[in-house]
């Protein structure tokens, strides 16, 4: 972690010499306008995401100290369940992002505004209904049995889950604004909003440690509510500004006929995300049910530690989603091939960083959590494999998502999702905490291999059948 953070701080210092960095990145990515946009966003994202990673790392020990290891594990598990709610946008978020980017690439600003207005309207309707359904289900679920905790905690758990659900519903609907920034190839703007929200959450938890202790409901309100409020404020300020008022959503621009276009691609994204829930988002529930909330805390702390590498890699890759949408719409295959090769070279740095972090894991996690959490070597080794396969997979999936040929990706995820729960449950129960990651890691590896082949076929204009859908 210190290695990655050191590299990131070094990168931040280099950014102060903007000329050198722009020249370096332009040499890697090229000097086209699209490449220059990517360069600017990568540079800005290094600073912003670097700050966000540091904030997230500081938030872990602070939250554990405020709650305790068991309560922190409970909060993590409930949060991972609530994340499922965001997938019930039926893929509208990602579908909108691609369609909006396509409209801008073709110069049709009126259509782009209609996509924006329609997506906002649709998501607010959907998540109003989702929240009502979740509220009813919340009173029927016995959370204490599901999470293997004390029965007297049931009222608190229901309150926490309801709050988490409310904030997630609002934030997912508001997320259209972040998707719009990404579609405009300005992901650094979305990163800035996230950093501000997380920084305010960190500050609020610090204040809570001075005024109270162990209040799970208060911690939930500040950790989940503040980022949601921050996004709302930035959205209103952006569209209120005279320069961007002509881009703002309007009731008169809502065209329900466009939903079919958005969901046509977005529906596949929805099924992919539903499969992702079964493969990756059930881990905390299975771990809590078999080994208890404290094991969830151990798993998530270790995952955040090694996940720094994936987060840094994502900073570089994310701007290419909409850039590939733009390039594919203009049939600029040369630029796409060059960008792919350069991104693949960066993967060497990922595995190098993970190996260094593996050997320093015991000492760093002990210092980081004030000795409250220790991570077994088997789990650390498995997370190295998981994080690297996740990064390789995300490289090809991000580029393919930008192109919009996601049918094969959908088939693979759904195939693995069918038996994911029994595989994860069996591994965790019979072999231990580390084995819960075997099936998710295999999923990422298969996606990486198939994704590499598919992308190569698309860029050579040889993709047919399912490879081109």
């Amino acid at each position: 972690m210190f290695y990655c953070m050191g590299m990131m701080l070094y990168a931040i210092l280099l950014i102060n010499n903007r000329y050198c960095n722009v020249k370096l990145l332009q040499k890697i990515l090229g000097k086209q306008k699209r490449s220059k946009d990517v360069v600017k966003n990568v540079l800005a994202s290094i600073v912003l995401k670097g700050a966000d990673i540091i904030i997230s790392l500081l938030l872990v020990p602070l939250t554990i100290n405020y709650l305790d290891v068991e309560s922190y594990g409970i909060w993590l598990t409930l949060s991972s369940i609530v994340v499922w709610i965001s997938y019930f946008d039926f893929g509208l978020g990602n579908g909108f992002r691609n369609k909006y980017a396509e409209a801008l690439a073709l110069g049709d600003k009126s259509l782009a505004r209609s996509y924006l207005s329609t997506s906002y309207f649709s998501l607010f309707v959907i998540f109003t209904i989702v929240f009502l359904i979740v509220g009813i289900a919340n009173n029927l679920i016995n959370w204490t049995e599901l999470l293997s905790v004390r029965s007297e905690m049931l009222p608190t758990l229901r309150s926490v889950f309801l709050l988490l659900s409310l904030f997630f519903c609002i934030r997912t609907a508001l997320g259209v604004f972040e998707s719009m920034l990404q579609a405009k190839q300005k992901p650094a703007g979305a990163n800035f909003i996230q950093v501000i929200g997380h920084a305010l959450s960190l500050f609020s938890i610090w204040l809570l440690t001075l005024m109270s202790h162990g209040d799970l409901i208060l911690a939930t309100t500040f950790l989940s509510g503040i980022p949601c409020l921050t996004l709302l404020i930035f959205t209103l300020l952006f569209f209120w500004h005279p320069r961007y008022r002509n881009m703002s959503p309007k009731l008169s621009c809502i065209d329900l006929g466009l939903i079919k276009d958005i969901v046509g691609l977005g529906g596949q994204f929805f099924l992919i995300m539903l499969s992702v829930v079964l493969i990756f988002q059930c881990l905390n529930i299975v771990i809590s049910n078999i080994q208890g909330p404290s094991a969830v805390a151990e798993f998530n702390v270790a995952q955040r530690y090694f996940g720094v590498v994936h987060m840094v890699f994502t900073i570089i890759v994310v701007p290419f989603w909409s850039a590939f949408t733009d390039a594919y719409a203009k049939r600029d295959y040369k630029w796409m091939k060059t960008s792919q090769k350069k991104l693949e070279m960066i993967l060497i740095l990922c595995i190098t960083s993970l190996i260094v972090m593996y050997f320093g894991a015991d000492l760093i996690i002990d210092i980081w959590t004030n000795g409250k959490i220790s991570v077994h070597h088997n789990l650390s080794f498995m997370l190295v494999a998981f994080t690297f396969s996740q990064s390789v997979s995300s490289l090809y999936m991000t580029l393919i998502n930008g192109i919009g040929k996601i049918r094969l990706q959908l088939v693979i995820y759904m195939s693995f999702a069918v038996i994911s729960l029994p595989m994860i449950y069996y591994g965790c129960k019979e072999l231990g905490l580390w084995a819960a990651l075997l099936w998710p890691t295999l999923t990422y590896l298969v996606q990486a291999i198939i994704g590499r082949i598919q992308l190569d076929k698309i860029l050579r204009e040889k993709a047919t059948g399912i490879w081109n859908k």
Side-chain angles (χ1 to χ4, degrees), residues 126 172 208 293 406:
I126 289 171
T172 305
L208 283 179
I406 61 175

Side-chain angles (χ1 to χ4, degrees), residues 15 135 138 173 209-211 220 223 238 246 269 419:
I15 286 170
N138 184 41
T209 60
L210 302 179
M211 299 183 293
T220 300
L223 285 172
F238 180 87
N246 63 340
F269 278 120
I419 59 171

Side-chain angles (χ1 to χ4, degrees), residues 57-355:
L57 294 176
L58 292 173
L59 195 57
V60 171
L62 197 62
T63 308
I64 291 174
N65 288 335
Y66 178 70
L67 293 175
D68 71 43
V69 174
E70 182 185 31
S71 296
Y72 180 63
I74 291 170
W75 183 81
L76 287 170
T77 305
L78 290 176
S79 296
S80 67
I81 295 172
V82 170
V83 169
W84 301 0
I85 294 173
S86 65
Y87 297 131
F88 285 94
D89 70 346
F90 300 103
L92 277 166
N94 286 323
F96 158 75
R97 177 175 173 176
N98 278 36
K99 289 297 182 181
Y100 190 85
E102 287 177 11
L104 292 180
L106 298 173
D108 194 339
K109 294 183 179 180
S110 176
L111 179 60
R113 191 176 191 182
S114 292
Y115 277 131
L116 179 70
S117 304
T118 304
S119 296
Y120 264 121
F121 174 77
S122 302
L123 287 174
F124 273 105
V125 170
I126 289 171
F127 282 99
T128 298
I129 296 171
V130 168
F131 179 69
L132 293 175
I133 294 172
V134 168
I136 295 171
N138 184 41
N139 292 319
L140 301 176
I141 299 173
N142 190 329
W143 292 110
T144 55
E145 286 187 9
L146 183 63
L147 304 182
S148 298
V149 297
R150 302 182 306 276
S151 58
E152 60 267 24
M153 292 191 68
L154 184 58
T156 298
L157 296 181
R158 283 180 171 164
S159 297
V160 168
F161 186 75
L162 191 65
L163 280 171
L164 284 170
S165 300
L166 174 63
F167 292 132
F168 262 84
C169 284
I170 295 173
R171 200 190 187 292
T172 305
L174 291 172
V176 174
F177 178 63
E178 292 175 314
S179 295
M180 182 197 74
L181 293 177
Q182 291 164 343
K184 290 170 66 65
Q185 300 183 48
K186 298 184 183 300
N191 291 335
F192 177 74
I193 297 171
Q194 291 171 7
V195 170
I196 296 299
H198 293 159
L200 291 173
S201 291
L202 177 67
F203 180 68
S204 67
I205 290 297
W206 176 73
L207 288 179
L208 283 179
T209 60
L210 302 179
M211 299 183 293
S212 64
H213 181 75
D215 193 321
L216 196 54
I217 294 176
L218 271 179
T220 300
T221 301
F222 285 102
L223 285 172
S224 298
I226 288 179
C228 180
L229 180 61
T230 303
L231 178 56
L232 174 61
I233 292 172
F234 272 97
T235 301
L236 294 175
L237 289 175
F238 180 87
F239 287 126
W240 186 260
H241 194 283
R243 182 179 175 183
Y244 305 110
R245 203 166 293 171
N246 63 340
M247 300 165 50
S248 64
K250 289 179 62 178
L251 289 174
S252 60
C253 291
I254 295 173
D255 183 355
L256 298 182
L258 294 177
I259 294 178
K260 183 179 179 181
D261 291 339
I262 301 172
V263 176
L265 181 60
Q268 295 183 72
F269 278 120
F270 168 68
L271 292 175
I272 288 172
M273 292 186 288
L274 197 60
S275 300
V276 166
V277 167
L278 294 174
I279 301 170
F280 305 106
Q281 297 297 331
C282 288
L283 286 167
N284 285 337
I285 299 175
V286 173
I287 293 169
S288 182
N289 186 265
I290 295 174
Q291 301 194 23
S294 296
V296 176
E298 177 190 349
F299 171 74
N300 278 268
V301 164
Q303 189 177 30
R304 285 200 181 196
Y305 170 74
F306 289 103
V308 169
V309 172
H310 179 63
M311 291 174 70
V312 173
F313 184 67
T314 301
I315 292 171
I316 300 170
V317 174
V318 165
F320 285 87
W321 177 318
S322 295
F324 261 60
T325 303
D326 178 83
Y328 188 72
K330 297 173 180 176
R331 297 296 185 263
D332 191 351
Y333 292 105
K334 181 180 179 181
W335 181 87
M336 289 190 282
K337 289 176 184 176
T338 301
S339 298
Q340 177 197 338
K341 290 178 181 178
K342 300 304 181 182
L343 289 171
E344 287 172 340
M345 292 173 61
I346 299 174
L347 289 171
I348 298 172
L349 294 176
C350 288
I351 191 61
T352 303
S353 299
L354 286 168
I355 292 171

Side-chain angles (χ1 to χ4, degrees), residues 336-388:
M336 289 190 282
K337 289 176 184 176
T338 301
S339 298
Q340 177 197 338
K341 290 178 181 178
K342 300 304 181 182
L343 289 171
E344 287 172 340
M345 292 173 61
I346 299 174
L347 289 171
I348 298 172
L349 294 176
C350 288
I351 191 61
T352 303
S353 299
L354 286 168
I355 292 171
V356 172
M357 292 176 72
Y358 172 77
F359 288 106
D362 288 346
L363 175 63
I364 295 171
I365 291 177
D366 184 67
I367 295 172
W368 181 27
T369 63
N370 298 317
K372 293 186 177 182
I373 292 178
S374 60
V375 178
H376 196 278
H377 290 170
N378 287 345
L379 179 59
S380 293
F381 182 81
M382 196 66 227
L383 276 165
V384 169
F386 173 80
T387 305
F388 183 68

Side-chain angles (χ1 to χ4, degrees), residues 18 31 58 362 409 421:
R18 188 176 178 207
K31 296 184 178 181
L58 292 173
D362 288 346
Q409 181 185 162
L421 276 177

